Amino acid sequence: MYGKAFAPEYQGSLTTLSVNSSLVDVLAAGTEQLRAAERGGCPRETARVGLAVAEANRRLGNVSDADREWKASYRAARTAGDTGAMAWALWSGGTLARQRGALALAWRLLGFAAELGEQGGDILARGYSLAGLAETGRIQGDYEAVGALHEQLLAEARERGEARHTVWALEGIAQMHRNTGSYDTAYAMFEESAAIAAQAEDRRGYAWALRGLADIVSVRDGDVDRALDLLAEAEVTCREMNLMSALAYNHKMRGNVLYRAGRCEEARDVYQQALTEFRAMSEPRGEALARLGLVKSLARLGRDRAHTAADLAELAGVLDRIGLRHARRMVDRARTEFGIA
């Protein structure tokens, strides 16, 4: 049995905020409390509420602000001698580094965060940091290295009855199954994560689960209408909560669904929209995936092979630099699809 989902990154005087609070509201409340803590000369409270400000900025795509705030949170936590708050700040910094495509930095920061979380006895900071490491390895395509860690974290979350982390782990494992062709297993796990998220009132987790279900419904069943309906439902939540990154990935998935259905003009337009959104928040992984979809759509619409080949070569280089092996293999499949050596 799972309890109601909560957001452990909303700390100090912000613990009353809901996991479903609009990020714009979180940023406003967090900034107000942060200024009050700074005026009051309380470094521990500054660190704790500064974490929420950093995370709201990151999720809204305000990359420079997020970078500044997680570092300020860490400095305040260190001044206060608060090991747990130091761990959370490093977790935020590591998550931002992954979002920006700096995967080596993400590994270092999240590793330090996990160590500090354990030293400080903060089980959640340790768990979220290990989850960050697992997710970093997963998006790189290194499933053998992080598959066991995902399963371990899922078992720990289930034992604690922590819905939000259970949903995250289920969705991560489901994505690996989807990417290796185990569609039925992936669907069942996305379905379970959606049910738990709905029960726990975790709207963010539910929106991500719907995106995963839409992908499977599209690629396995060829059911375009149902896939688009699932994505439309998820998009409502993304917009209401200002989940800008999730919204961009939702649009990218909409492009995938349309492309698979042969509706390439519509897919082109949606990929272009997603590309613009990813660029606005400096998210290179999403940008590369949206670009790949756009290149493929344009090729299907008659763009000449030389331009397609050049674009795919450039994308391959970008993905190699970031270290995204699974996405890099997608470029190779696109080359095969269009007969490009």
Side-chain angles (χ1 to χ4, degrees), residues 119-295:
Q119 290 173 20
D122 192 320
I123 296 172
L124 284 177
R126 170 191 167 274
Y128 272 61
S129 300
L130 289 176
L133 289 171
E135 187 162 345
T136 303
R138 178 174 58 77
I139 68 169
Q140 287 181 286
D142 197 356
Y143 300 160
E144 288 187 12
V146 299
L149 182 55
H150 270 83
E151 295 285 358
Q152 172 197 327
L153 293 169
L154 174 60
E156 291 178 5
R158 286 193 192 279
E159 185 177 357
R160 292 196 303 268
E162 189 192 346
R164 190 180 180 209
H165 217 171
T166 301
V167 167
W168 165 84
L170 280 168
E171 291 175 359
I173 298 168
Q175 191 64 50
M176 288 188 281
H177 281 299
R178 179 263 180 263
N179 289 347
T180 52
S182 300
Y183 298 137
D184 292 346
T185 302
Y187 185 89
M189 298 188 82
F190 279 127
E191 194 171 42
E192 183 185 0
S193 68
I196 294 171
Q199 173 192 321
E201 299 177 29
D202 175 8
R203 297 185 68 202
R204 180 187 295 118
Y206 186 68
W208 280 105
L210 292 182
R211 176 184 174 275
L213 287 171
D215 187 24
I216 304 297
V217 166
S218 166
V219 74
R220 182 191 67 180
D221 306 333
D223 192 337
V224 180
D225 290 339
R226 184 173 175 228
L228 293 177
D229 285 345
L230 288 166
L231 290 171
E233 182 182 352
E235 181 167 349
V236 172
T237 294
C238 293
R239 291 192 181 280
E240 289 179 351
M241 294 179 62
N242 303 108
L243 303 175
M244 306 315 296
S245 179
L247 181 62
Y249 275 105
N250 180 293
H251 290 156
K252 197 273 297 180
M253 182 57 68
R254 180 179 293 273
N256 290 358
V257 171
L258 293 168
Y259 180 83
R260 290 174 194 143
R263 293 160 60 174
C264 293
E265 289 188 0
E266 294 173 81
R268 175 199 60 198
D269 294 343
V270 177
Y271 281 132
Q272 184 61 65
Q273 179 184 5
L275 179 58
T276 300
E277 292 166 340
F278 284 124
R279 283 176 171 164
M281 65 184 74
S282 301
E283 189 159 340
R285 173 175 171 256
E287 180 180 339
L289 292 173
R291 280 185 64 197
L292 177 58
L294 182 59
V295 169

